[in-house]
Amino acid sequence: MTSSIISRISGFIPETSHRLSARAVVTSAGVIAGENPAEYSPNDPFKLWVIQLVIIIGMSRLCYGALLKLHQPRAVAELLGGIILGPTIMGRIPGFTATIFPEDSIQILNLCATIGLTFFLFFAGLELDLGLMKRHLKAAIVVSAAGLLVPFAFGYLLAFALYREFLDDSTDFALFALFVAIAICITAIPIVVRMLAELGLFDTALGVVVIGAGMGNDILGWILLALAVALSNASNGLVVVYMILTAIAYVIVFLYPVRWFFTWLARWTGSLETGKASPTMMIATLVMLFISAFFTDIIGLHAIFGAFIAGLIVPHDNGLSHQFAKQLEDVAMNIFLPIYFTLSGLKTDLSLLNNGKAWGFTIVICAMSFASKFAGCAGAAKYMGFNWRESSAIGTLMTCKGLLELIVINLGLQSGILTPIMFAMFVFHALLLTFITAPLTTLIIPKKHLQKMLANKITDSEGEGPSEVPSPEVGSVVDDSEKAQSVVEDSASSVGTHRGARQN
């Protein structure tokens, strides 16, 4: 037995030495030795990744500059940049996709995109005013419910027409209608959060209600999507019940015991008193962030929900949460997040919309989706006490679709529920509604009204939505402190020039 082990070791050492020497030879080669840096190598993917990153960021910045006067946030520019780099335009150049974005390299971009999106939702949780959210929780729930039920009903009506024109009896209508209804009613919360930040609406009651309602929409949307996928795979819906129960338990554990622990840790490390995160506090928070994102991902929800909850439980006292965001957001927002939006554009091919009938149904999809979402959410916001200007802005922001709808329709395509032509219709629908969200919101709430909203912190001690005071344009307002004035000055500059921390 001993001789056998020695024999194996003696055989293993030369083999390992040969592999290491071969690797050394590969890594020692370079452009001077004739190596092509654009050639993808699974052993050394860094060089091609840098080339991809430079192209992605360069294209997204060019698109952002072109769309600046149209009041488009960077998310739309990055998505448009991905479409330009994808099969719709530059992908038609022979060899471009195979050379710059080979299939084997996409998994690394996917990982970077997921990291960027995870950090982005973590920052959203860090910056969210929990006190303001609690005061407007009822409004967020009502808007979320209306933003689901009304579009869901319209989605089923739309499914009848689409089914009759593009499908036959071999496709289960109930399952097809479920996919269509989910695509119509879902809100792209990652893009909405970014729009709110760039438009200066994040730290307002309007922004809090939109974020709360959007998160509720998306959580229920993921649950419905899990049900749709389970049914399409001839499975039962019991897994969805387990997912709901597990998600509820997870939220309770994180919002109470875990949050208490992190408050104690912040005091113990001195981070809470100084407002600056100690190395121990920083490491513990990052570990908690990725564990939370990992957990929500493995139970069937997306990692972004875990990241958002992780941001909520970090102590917000003494500016500690803002310090976390300040230390981490530059690389995440300017390097990793653009990859997420651009990568989604790379997967989109709009050339499939090539006849009048397809475009006619595409317009109908866009119109019904916008009208149903806007009417449901704006009507619910008005019912909860917001004025018409604020209600219209809430309804408009909730119509934003973006990439979460792309996830839904991609799953529908993979399951054989949607045909390629219908997939292209819904991609265009997602892009159009995302494109018009920011300009419409800016028209509804122009700069002067935004300054008033930020100068006067919207509060409500009863949690019933804005209270009525004689301000017909902005809604209920209560004077805050010097902090509000500083926010106004910063935000006025951001709105006037469309620049800010997340834009540069």
Side-chain angles (χ1 to χ4, degrees):
M1 180 176 180
T2 303
S3 60
S4 175
I5 294 176
I6 294 175
S7 175
R8 291 183 181 180
I9 293 175
S10 62
F12 172 77
I13 292 176
E15 181 181 356
T16 304
S17 176
H18 173 73
R19 290 180 180 178
L20 291 175
S21 63
R23 172 61 179 158
V25 171
V26 171
T27 55
S28 64
V31 292
I32 297 177
E35 180 183 0
N36 180 8
E39 184 176 349
Y40 176 73
S41 171
N43 293 325
D44 188 16
F46 177 74
K47 294 186 289 293
L48 180 58
W49 180 82
V50 171
I51 294 174
Q52 293 171 335
L53 181 65
V54 171
I55 292 175
I56 287 172
I57 294 178
M59 182 60 73
S60 66
R61 296 302 290 186
L62 285 174
C63 292
Y64 178 63
L67 297 175
L68 190 60
K69 293 184 179 180
L70 297 177
H71 305 292
Q72 290 298 315
R74 273 176 47 183
V76 173
E78 289 157 3
L79 188 59
L80 180 60
I83 293 176
I84 293 174
L85 294 172
T88 303
I89 300 179
M90 295 189 69
R92 295 180 177 275
I93 301 175
F96 176 81
T97 300
T99 302
I100 305 300
F101 298 104
E103 186 67 28
D104 292 339
S105 71
I106 297 300
Q107 59 182 346
I108 298 177
L109 291 178
N110 276 324
L111 176 60
C112 295
T114 303
I115 293 173
L117 190 61
T118 299
F119 270 109
F120 178 63
L121 267 295
F122 175 64
F123 297 147
L126 286 176
E127 298 176 2
L128 191 63
D129 188 336
L130 284 177
L132 193 60
M133 174 168 276
K134 290 178 181 177
R135 290 192 293 272
H136 296 281
L137 180 61
K138 184 177 180 180
I141 292 175
V142 172
V143 172
S144 179
L148 273 173
L149 295 177
V150 177
F152 208 86
F154 273 73
Y156 262 86
L157 292 176
L158 180 62
F160 278 106
L162 293 173
Y163 187 85
R164 184 176 58 184
E165 289 292 332
F166 298 100
L167 296 174
D168 53 36
D169 293 339
S170 62
T171 302
D172 185 279
F173 170 76
L175 190 56
F176 168 73
L178 183 58
F179 269 99
V180 172
I182 294 172
I184 294 296
C185 72
I186 202 168
T187 297
I189 190 62
I191 296 182
V192 169
V193 170
R194 195 163 190 177
M195 285 182 179
L196 288 170
E198 295 182 353
L199 294 174
L201 294 169
F202 189 90
D203 194 24
T204 63
L206 184 153
V208 170
V209 168
V210 169
I211 292 173
M215 289 298 295
N217 269 200
D218 283 356
I219 291 173
L220 291 176
W222 284 110
I223 293 172
L224 290 172
L225 182 59
L227 175 62
V229 173
L231 293 175
S232 67
N233 293 329
S235 180
N236 58 63
L238 190 60
V239 65
V240 180
V241 176
Y242 289 141
M243 186 173 70
I244 295 173
L245 295 177
T246 305
I248 293 173
Y250 149 80
V251 172
I252 293 173
V253 169
F254 261 70
L255 290 184
Y256 293 99
V258 176
R259 188 181 180 194
W260 294 337
F261 169 76
F262 268 82
T263 302
W264 171 84
L265 182 64
R267 289 197 184 100
W268 182 73
T269 59
S271 302
L272 201 58
E273 288 73 17
T274 63
K276 296 181 179 180
S278 67
T280 300
M281 187 69 188
M282 178 65 73
I283 293 172
T285 302
L286 289 175
V287 171
M288 179 269 299
L289 160 64
F290 285 110
I291 289 177
S292 179
F294 170 79
F295 184 79
T296 55
D297 199 31
I298 64 173
I299 67 172
L301 295 175
H302 198 279
I304 64 174
F305 299 111
F308 183 77
I309 296 297
L312 291 179
I313 71 171
V314 173
H316 287 50
D317 300 331
N318 204 19
L320 181 59
S321 60
H322 294 289
Q323 183 65 25
F324 269 104
K326 184 178 179 181
Q327 291 181 253
L328 297 171
E329 68 179 356
D330 284 343
V331 173
M333 300 292 286
N334 294 301
I335 300 296
F336 290 105
L337 190 61
I339 296 176
Y340 171 76
F341 292 104
T342 304
L343 189 60
S344 299
L346 284 172
K347 302 174 182 177
T348 303
D349 186 359
L350 298 180
S351 63
L352 295 175
L353 298 177
N354 53 15
N355 60 64
K357 185 172 76 170
W359 279 109
F361 274 94
T362 301
I363 294 172
V364 171
I365 291 172
C366 295
M368 291 187 67
S369 176
F370 181 87
S372 60
K373 194 76 172 181
F374 179 88
C377 295
K382 179 61 178 175
Y383 172 76
M384 293 307 301
F386 288 90
N387 60 36
W388 279 115
R389 185 182 295 278
E390 295 168 333
S391 300
S392 298
I394 290 173
T396 300
L397 287 164
M398 290 293 289
T399 63
C400 181
K401 299 299 179 184
L403 304 176
L404 293 182
E405 182 186 349
L406 296 181
I407 295 174
V408 174
I409 59 179
N410 267 290
L411 288 174
L413 183 66
Q414 294 170 10
S415 302
I417 304 300
L418 299 180
T419 63
I421 184 65
M422 283 191 290
F423 175 80
M425 292 178 189
F426 278 100
V427 167
F428 182 85
H429 153 253
L431 293 174
L432 178 63
L433 265 61
T434 303
F435 187 86
I436 66 175
T437 299
L440 286 179
T441 304
T442 304
L443 287 175
I444 294 169
I445 302 183
K447 180 180 176 181
K448 64 178 182 178
H449 296 290
L450 175 60
Q451 291 179 3
K452 293 180 183 180
M453 292 173 67
L454 294 174
N456 302 276
K457 199 87 166 183
I458 300 176
T459 59
D460 175 28
S461 58
E462 299 298 328
E464 299 292 335
S467 58
E468 295 295 328
V469 298
S471 177
E473 295 296 332
V474 181
S476 67
V477 294
V478 177
D479 288 338
D480 204 354
S481 59
E482 297 176 356
K483 179 181 177 182
Q485 184 59 35
S486 66
V487 171
V488 173
E489 294 172 357
D490 293 341
S491 187
S493 174
S494 174
V495 173
T497 62
H498 265 262
R499 290 180 293 130
R502 285 177 177 76
Q503 292 173 296
N504 291 322

